[in-house]
Amino acid sequence: MQKSFIDHGTISVDQTRYHSDANPGEISIGIKRAGGSDGAVAISYRTIDATAVGGESQNDGSDYIKMEGTLWFRHGETNKTIDLVINPNAHDHSTLIVALQRPLLGATLGEECAMVITICKTEVAVKVETRPCWLKSLEITTTRTSRLKRLTSSSSPVR
């Protein structure tokens, strides 16, 4: 008798799947499920201010529109996207982080669980740099523009 093996997969950012467009300023960030696609699974995601400041709309003086939510994968699905809106008047060379966290229903968090996005208006592009999940904490100071204060490492995923 053959044993059955269920693999819900590992979810991580897919640094090769993104697209930026200066007008309207939306970036599609690829999220991948690898190593298995059995059953429905989910992952939480959110944006974190670094030097870029997130807001609620394109008219509030922010660099981008904040996001937080849960991304659901159906049985067999391996790719999803998160659409991030960059405001037209965003500060050049400002950065933000998109972090995956809290996998649900048997999925695991992949090694590449966070992405640093640098807004480069002069190039009409976005530089994307993935960060492995050994990132433990992000201490953010709240000043006029939030600045990334310290990044500490550990074997724990982003919390």
Side-chain angles (χ1 to χ4, degrees):
M1 180 188 287
Q2 188 175 356
K3 289 185 178 181
S4 63
F5 178 70
I6 297 174
D7 191 348
H8 298 290
T10 301
I11 302 174
S12 58
V13 295
D14 183 359
Q15 65 184 5
T16 63
R17 294 189 60 212
Y18 74 93
H19 174 72
S20 62
D21 186 356
N23 190 12
E26 189 172 278
I27 304 164
S28 292
I29 300 165
I31 307 298
K32 66 182 176 182
R33 178 184 186 186
S37 61
D38 295 330
V41 296
I43 189 91
S44 295
Y45 64 90
R46 70 183 181 118
T47 53
I48 302 167
D49 290 354
T51 57
V53 177
E56 302 300 319
S57 74
Q58 290 188 332
N59 300 321
D60 63 4
S62 62
D63 296 310
Y64 70 97
I65 297 178
K66 286 185 178 186
M67 298 185 316
E68 185 170 0
T70 303
L71 195 60
W72 290 89
F73 288 82
R74 290 180 295 202
H75 174 76
E77 278 189 306
T78 57
N79 293 295
K80 290 283 191 178
T81 57
I82 299 171
D83 294 326
L84 175 67
V85 177
I86 303 294
N87 290 339
N89 296 321
H91 293 92
D92 199 20
H93 299 291
S94 56
T95 58
L96 65 123
I97 299 164
V98 177
L100 301 177
Q101 52 196 17
R102 295 186 303 277
L104 302 169
L105 304 173
T108 56
L109 191 58
E111 189 173 317
E112 303 290 338
C113 67
M115 176 182 285
V116 177
I117 298 176
T118 303
I119 301 167
C120 299
K121 291 169 57 173
T122 55
E123 300 170 14
V124 192
V126 173
K127 293 196 303 190
V128 176
E129 177 184 348
T130 57
R131 293 285 188 204
C133 278
W134 45 257
L135 295 178
K136 181 180 177 227
S137 65
L138 298 168
E139 291 182 13
I140 307 296
T141 58
T142 347
T143 57
R144 185 165 175 239
T145 60
S146 297
R147 299 202 179 274
L148 185 61
K149 183 179 176 186
R150 188 177 68 173
L151 213 57
T152 58
S153 65
S154 168
S155 59
S156 302
V158 171
R159 298 206 192 281

